[in-house]
Amino acid sequence: MKKLGFGLMRLPTTDPANAGAVDLEQTKRMVDLFIEKGFTYFDTAWMYCGFQSEPAVKEALVSRHPRDSFTLATKLNAGFFDTLEGRDDIFNQQLEKTGAGYFDYYLLHGIDSGSYQKFEDLDCFRWLMDKKEQGLVRSPGFSFHGDAPLLDEILTKHPELEFVQLQINYLDWDSQWIQSRACYEAAVKHNKPVIVMEPVKGGTLAQVPAQVRSLFQARSPQASPASWAIRFAAGLPGVMMVLSGMSSLAQMEDNLSYMQDFQPLTDEEKAMVFQAADMINSQIAIPCTGCSYCTEGCPQKIAIPQYFSLYNEDMREHLEEKGWTVNFNNYAQLAQTAGKAADCIACGQCEGMCPQHLPIIEHLKAVSSHFDH
């Protein structure tokens, strides 16, 4: 397989405030182009796009392309079942929602220190292997958001799992929280192929500060910032696939342009992206990837990732010179259909779901202080 996978978590929408309002026509064009160029890997999950990603897979992909022309991955998330029967309820609904017949890759979703025991207590590892024996799953694995020691523990206890999906990008390579390098090294130690998620860190590495863009352009004027991030991840030994959550045809065209004939970064280019990481890390106020896991159960319907993105943009501005930016208008517009940052009731649901382990409640207070006046 070519190393670029189509992550179906950030599909184009007809309403920026509603992740479930999938723009199916644009999604179909993206799917068709992806397959036309020889790429085959599609990745979805139960709650992606406000629970509308899997139905979009059926309409844009499964119903329109031969089943043997693509590979499909989906996942079982611990937040949506509490019984043995619940595992099958979700799995059977996923088969129905996607119409796929079987899943080429199936993952226990987002394992971390908080969810791992639930997957053990409800016997999900053996359950997943049973799905393989039944022919409903071709390759079983899991995605992971914990630390390296826990990953080593799981891979030691469950050598039957065939791959692991990790958050790897040059910005998080040495992060004490994400531990991209340490988790990658744990997977390599256990000889497990790695699928990379968040190679562009939710768009952070596509919309880089001006000095980083200048650094990249001096090296290769035509290369997009995102290309450096994806090529970094794809070039790591043992990486079998790099997922990109493409949300427009333009993003897909850019990714296909350099992944069609993929070339890993040179040692000099690797040094350059780590230099870029130092520049970017000095300017990020809230390291949110925009995955939206936090929003699905928010009782106040707060547009958390969108607000964090606007806040980060403003923190990079010279506000003492401008005093006002267009982000204040963007915030007000979003708040017409979503809860404001000030509406947070500090229930903590969001923090329990956040793969980045962010103090979301405190960050929302900062956002509210900035925008709600």
Side-chain angles (χ1 to χ4, degrees):
M1 291 187 292
K2 292 181 182 292
K3 277 194 172 184
L4 178 68
F6 190 173
L8 301 162
M9 183 170 72
R10 300 182 178 93
L11 291 174
T13 67
T14 56
D15 178 0
N18 180 8
V22 176
D23 183 342
L24 282 169
E25 292 311 307
Q26 185 172 181
T27 300
K28 288 176 183 178
R29 293 195 295 273
M30 293 169 70
V31 165
D32 293 350
L33 179 62
F34 194 71
I35 290 179
E36 176 189 327
K37 296 297 184 180
F39 295 82
T40 61
Y41 194 100
F42 294 83
D43 172 271
T44 185
W46 176 252
M47 73 284 204
Y48 285 177
C49 300
F51 301 90
Q52 295 306 306
S53 179
E54 289 175 332
V57 165
K58 183 174 186 177
E59 186 157 346
L61 173 65
V62 177
S63 298
R64 301 173 61 251
H65 292 274
R67 184 62 183 88
D68 61 359
S69 68
F70 61 87
T71 54
L72 180 62
T74 195
K75 312 175 186 78
L76 178 74
N77 188 285
F80 299 96
F81 68 99
D82 293 299
T83 64
L84 298 178
E85 295 77 16
R87 306 166 308 178
D88 282 299
D89 288 344
I90 289 177
F91 188 88
N92 292 335
Q93 288 184 64
Q94 289 175 312
L95 286 173
E96 181 178 353
K97 287 166 69 177
T98 63
Y102 63 91
F103 299 112
D104 301 276
Y105 298 86
Y106 197 89
L107 298 82
L108 302 181
H109 190 186
I111 295 180
D112 60 15
S113 59
S115 64
Y116 173 48
Q117 195 57 49
K118 183 173 185 177
F119 283 116
E120 288 284 13
D121 291 345
L122 292 176
D123 201 19
C124 293
F125 294 90
R126 185 197 58 79
W127 171 86
L128 182 52
M129 299 310 296
D130 287 345
K131 295 300 181 191
K132 179 178 179 179
E133 291 178 9
Q134 296 164 16
L136 296 173
V137 169
R138 298 286 174 87
S139 185
F142 65 101
S143 62
F144 185 76
H145 285 291
D147 60 25
L150 178 60
L151 179 59
D152 184 66
E153 175 186 338
I154 295 170
L155 291 174
T156 299
K157 187 173 181 179
H158 294 287
E160 69 275 14
L161 296 180
E162 297 175 7
F163 67 94
V164 61
Q165 185 165 303
L166 300 173
Q167 178 169 322
I168 295 177
N169 57 69
Y170 68 76
L171 197 64
D172 292 325
W173 189 241
D174 290 314
S175 163
Q176 63 174 319
W177 303 110
I178 307 303
Q179 299 187 8
S180 283
R181 182 211 294 262
C183 287
Y184 164 74
E185 290 173 349
V188 170
K189 169 188 169 184
H190 288 270
N191 296 311
K192 297 299 180 184
V194 172
I195 296 174
V196 172
M197 56 184 165
E198 300 291 358
V200 191
K201 199 171 173 65
T204 296
L205 302 183
Q207 302 294 330
V208 295
Q211 65 266 43
V212 175
R213 185 176 291 274
S214 295
L215 178 70
F216 288 158
Q217 287 180 340
R219 177 74 183 189
S220 179
Q222 303 305 316
S224 67
S227 71
W228 295 105
I230 291 178
R231 287 176 58 214
F232 168 79
L236 294 169
V239 167
M240 62 173 277
M241 186 63 57
V242 177
L243 303 177
S244 178
M246 295 170 273
S247 55
S248 71
L249 192 60
Q251 289 177 7
M252 172 163 286
E253 288 170 342
D254 177 53
N255 284 345
L256 297 180
S257 69
Y258 56 83
M259 290 302 288
Q260 184 77 34
D261 184 21
F262 166 65
Q263 298 295 322
L265 299 185
T266 65
D267 288 342
E268 183 179 352
E269 289 170 336
K270 289 177 187 175
M272 181 189 67
V273 299
F274 287 129
Q275 181 184 353
D278 291 338
M279 295 177 179
I280 297 168
N281 274 321
S282 70
Q283 296 192 29
I284 294 178
I286 303 175
C288 170
T289 67
C291 70
S292 294
Y293 290 8
C294 58
T295 62
E296 300 301 342
C298 176
Q300 302 299 91
K301 309 297 183 185
I302 300 171
I304 298 170
Q306 292 95 326
Y307 291 161
F308 285 176
S309 177
L310 294 175
Y311 183 77
N312 282 339
E313 287 183 26
D314 260 17
M315 292 305 100
R316 288 197 291 264
E317 294 276 2
H318 298 291
L319 295 181
E320 68 279 2
E321 299 173 8
K322 296 185 176 181
W324 178 91
T325 71
V326 70
N327 292 322
F328 283 86
N329 272 359
N330 292 336
Y331 177 87
Q333 184 175 355
L334 272 173
Q336 291 178 7
T337 55
K340 299 187 296 184
D343 295 334
C344 175
I345 59 174
C347 68
Q349 184 279 147
C350 54
E351 293 187 358
M353 293 295 290
C354 178
Q356 313 302 319
H357 313 295
L358 299 178
I360 294 174
I361 295 168
E362 289 303 311
H363 286 322
L364 283 173
K365 290 178 182 177
V367 172
S368 178
S369 177
H370 183 67
F371 288 116
D372 288 324
H373 57 74

